[in-house]
Amino acid sequence: MTALPKERDEGHLRYAMGWETANIHLGSSTARTILADLKARPKNWLSSAAKWMAAQVEEDWQDWRT
């Protein structure tokens, strides 16, 4: 991450990273199961889940600090 330029589009970077992760999974034997699961999810499920997880990590860190 330190090699990335200071001016960057974080959303585009996350999208590209997710795209590459999906490429790996779509080449697996469970690709159909994964695709069916993704189609059943709401549009912004990953963004919502990531925000929830970040909040949980922050809460855990705050607990650890105290």
Side-chain angles (χ1 to χ4, degrees):
M1 295 298 283
T2 58
L4 294 172
K6 291 183 189 234
E7 298 276 331
R8 59 184 183 254
D9 181 351
E10 300 291 339
H12 182 73
L13 177 62
R14 287 190 301 270
Y15 182 87
M17 292 170 69
W19 187 272
E20 288 305 315
T21 301
N23 283 337
I24 292 168
H25 290 298
L26 289 176
S28 72
S29 62
T30 59
R32 286 188 177 140
T33 304
I34 294 168
L35 286 172
D37 178 73
L38 291 173
K39 286 180 183 177
R41 291 178 182 268
K43 183 179 180 183
N44 292 323
W45 74 270
L46 184 56
S47 178
S48 297
K51 288 175 184 174
W52 179 85
M53 189 64 203
Q56 296 304 305
V57 170
E58 178 76 22
E59 185 179 316
D60 287 349
W61 180 70
Q62 292 292 343
D63 288 345
W64 176 80
R65 284 187 59 194
T66 59

